[in-house]
Amino acid sequence: MIITVVGARPNFVKAAPIHRAFGAAGVQHEICHTGQHYDDAMAKVFFEDLGMPKPIVDLGVGSGTHAEQTAAAMVGLERFFAARRPRAILVVGDVNSTLAAAIVAAKMGLYAAHVEAGLRSGDWTMPEEVNRVVTDTIVDLLLTPSEDADRNLLAEGCAPETIVRVGNVMIDALQQHLPAARRLGVPARLGLAPQQYAVMTLHRPSNVDDPCVLARILDAVAEIAHRLPVVFPVHPRTQTQAAAMGLGRRLEDTPGLIAMPPLGYLEFLSLTAEARLVLTDSGGLQEETTVLGIPCLTLRENTERPITITDGTNTLVGSDPATIIREANRALDLQPDAPHRVPDLWDGQTSPRIVKAVLERI
Ligand code: UD1
């Protein structure tokens, strides 16, 4: 049996095409969920939308400090791997569950592959950067999405034969589900016309855990919302922090800002696919907008996905309101649907390449 470990929302989107591709190759593959994300809106709806089977196990890890969450996942995974002895373990992305699974597999001598290896922001204040670097140091196989990732790994001394560029597996999910997502018509349900609204997501601790930073971002968004409506599905972390900081009313009362609970995969894709502009601090959304050809303003000082800038639609804007507003206006003044480039191997065929690379080596 081959196991892919998932924990948080973006992991589910990467695991779904991998599960399907192993099935197509006739190989037994199961999903192990640590339970890092546990709300129906953060987990269950993604399994349903993406057509994934129920996970073979849900370790029920839940929320906590980084140490609590990572440690709880490690304890659960060690017991689970010991009972099942999988032939190989796949870890995806850069969340705490990714790190936990990679460490446990390494200590148990189990073959492990990292999907989305080699991405680097160079920003050690990001918990994900620690997770990425440690994971890539201890797994057996490094499956990368882009050439910059290969270069990062080689510069860190990884053996060339352990690096295989497979492309971006999130795009497999996007291509597969885009027609069904469009049919949902989420913008119309919200009374929004195609290309006449923006979408925003925000959940990084650096943006939402500091009241000054969050307030400044909301100032900028209030200004942009004069020009077009901004739809904002709010991550639970952001909801909790905004309420604790006394900013909850601003989410509800800002004219043109449409705040709502988190959306499932298909509903969110339905919304973004027709958007005129995206503002985000998510990693995956920088990639999805690049493929969809939608201007993306990333509310961070750096990105581990620089290819979305060089070969895509992404612009880094940080959290300074004047920069955010200026870049939003610049993007909105551009011709919509301008021709755009897509990075090599972001072609919807990454999951079969992952399966081939893993099977060749085990
Ligand atoms: C995690 C990942 C981040 C990823 C994000 C996607 C780490 C270090 N961070 O961040 O890289 O971009 O997932 O969403 O692994 N909560 C709920 N319900 C849930 C899950 C979380 O209410 O189902 C709330 C809890 O208050 C929790 C907080 O959100 O404390 C943060 O959850 P956590 O999993 O620790 O980190 P994320 O911010 O979601």
Side-chain angles (χ1 to χ4, degrees), residues 10 36-39 42 63 69 95-96 128 203 235-237:
Q36 177 175 343
H37 283 177
Y38 44 87
D39 284 342
M42 298 294 283
S63 302
Q69 198 171 55
V95 304
N96 286 344
E128 292 82 2
H203 74 285
H235 187 285
R237 172 193 282 277

Side-chain angles (χ1 to χ4, degrees), residues 118-286:
L119 297 187
R120 299 288 182 266
S121 66
D123 177 356
W124 288 99
T125 66
M126 270 185 100
E128 292 82 2
E129 185 73 354
V130 179
N131 295 347
R132 289 188 278 260
V133 172
V134 177
T135 299
D136 287 344
T137 310
I138 56 180
V139 296
D140 302 284
L141 180 59
L142 297 155
L143 298 164
T144 66
S146 48
E147 202 207 337
D148 55 293
D150 297 13
R151 271 189 269 115
N152 291 335
L153 294 168
L154 291 170
E156 288 172 14
C158 297
E161 62 276 14
T162 62
I163 303 169
V164 181
R165 194 178 332 150
V166 290
N168 188 331
V169 76
M170 266 196 142
I171 307 310
D172 292 25
L174 185 146
Q175 287 193 1
Q176 200 178 326
H177 295 286
L178 189 56
R182 285 193 196 278
R183 283 196 296 276
L184 282 180
V186 171
R189 275 200 251 149
L190 294 170
L192 300 165
Q195 307 279 327
Q196 304 289 321
Y197 62 92
V199 173
M200 178 166 79
T201 77
L202 215 54
H203 74 285
R204 294 275 162 220
S206 57
N207 282 334
V208 306
D209 288 4
D210 179 334
C212 296
V213 177
L214 184 56
R216 276 156 60 84
I217 291 174
L218 292 177
D219 287 343
V221 174
E223 185 68 29
I224 295 166
H226 286 310
R227 192 160 167 186
L228 81 178
V230 179
V231 188
F232 182 23
V234 186
H235 187 285
R237 172 193 282 277
T238 312
Q239 189 72 55
T240 308
Q241 294 294 59
M245 296 166 188
L247 293 169
R249 292 299 297 265
R250 297 222 12 217
L251 299 183
E252 281 152 37
D253 295 347
T254 302
L257 181 64
I258 307 169
M260 59 176 63
L263 296 175
Y265 179 72
L266 290 177
E267 285 188 321
F268 188 69
L269 184 55
S270 173
L271 189 65
T272 46
E274 308 289 349
R276 179 74 183 80
L277 176 69
V278 168
L279 300 111
T280 192
D281 59 10
S282 142
L285 205 41
Q286 296 171 49

Side-chain angles (χ1 to χ4, degrees), residues 60-83:
V61 163
S63 302
T65 66
H66 286 274
E68 287 165 348
Q69 198 171 55
T70 310
M74 286 177 67
V75 172
L77 288 166
E78 188 178 56
R79 284 196 193 121
F80 175 70
F81 293 163

